[in-house]
Amino acid sequence: MNEYLIIFLVGIVPCLIVGIWQTCVGCMVISRARKSLDWQMVRGKLTPTESILSGDEVAFHLPDALQISYRVEGHHYHCQKLHLYENWKQRGALLQQLSTAQAVPVYYNPAKPQEAVVERGIKPHYWLPLILGISSLTMALLGSFFLAVGS
């Protein structure tokens, strides 16, 4: 009987916890990306960046920093993200394509104009947390089934 309890506590419970957590995160990521499709578009301009660090901050230096300035209803904002959940490698590729004189489309959240991206919508890698969560839940359910059948 003790070995079944150990299997349950060490194998099934962690899979349930991770599965529920990852599924929730995945649903939030997909939902937020879907909402970004309704964001407004303005034209922005690539601007030079300066790193400002406070005393306790740990900074990872990105050789190609992205900063695009844009204006919404008379207020200036700066977009520093390629898309909602970005990859640093993609940021460098985008910077190679842009010039400082070129107007860049910037999509901003109408409810929070300071939240903006260059590319909106759902990217293929946004599905990863949801897939991992469902996989963990499936393993937990299968483990519970085989544990119940085996006892």
Side-chain angles (χ1 to χ4, degrees):
M1 184 66 174
N2 285 339
E3 63 269 0
Y4 293 124
L5 181 61
I6 292 171
I7 291 170
F8 179 76
L9 292 176
V10 173
I12 296 172
V13 170
C15 282
L16 276 174
I17 292 169
V18 169
I20 291 169
W21 175 66
Q22 284 288 348
T23 302
C24 290
V25 167
C27 288
M28 288 187 302
V29 165
I30 296 298
S31 173
R32 185 169 180 224
R34 184 174 289 145
K35 288 177 184 175
S36 77
L37 291 170
D38 296 329
W39 288 7
Q40 307 277 324
M41 193 217 36
V42 294
R43 292 283 178 192
K45 198 170 190 177
L46 190 63
T47 57
T49 60
E50 293 180 15
S51 296
I52 300 171
L53 301 175
S54 65
D56 294 335
E57 283 188 48
V58 175
F60 296 99
H61 176 69
L62 296 175
D64 297 321
L66 172 68
Q67 181 168 297
I68 300 170
S69 66
Y70 62 100
R71 184 176 248 210
V72 176
E73 298 176 0
H75 298 338
H76 287 283
Y77 298 100
H78 296 283
C79 172
Q80 296 180 334
K81 295 176 91 174
L82 177 58
H83 47 79
L84 290 173
Y85 306 99
E86 70 182 14
N87 181 338
W88 291 351
K89 292 176 186 175
Q90 293 172 336
R91 178 187 287 197
L94 176 71
L95 279 173
Q96 291 175 353
Q97 298 171 2
L98 299 176
S99 70
T100 54
Q102 184 180 12
V104 179
V106 176
Y107 299 94
Y108 71 92
N109 183 348
K112 291 199 281 185
Q114 67 274 16
E115 183 180 14
V117 293
V118 175
E119 297 176 358
R120 62 186 175 165
I122 300 173
K123 307 293 177 204
H125 61 273
Y126 291 180
W127 292 100
L128 187 59
L130 189 62
I131 291 168
L132 291 173
I134 291 171
S135 299
S136 292
L137 287 174
T138 302
M139 288 186 338
L141 291 174
L142 285 173
S144 297
F145 173 75
F146 288 119
L147 193 63
V149 170
S151 60

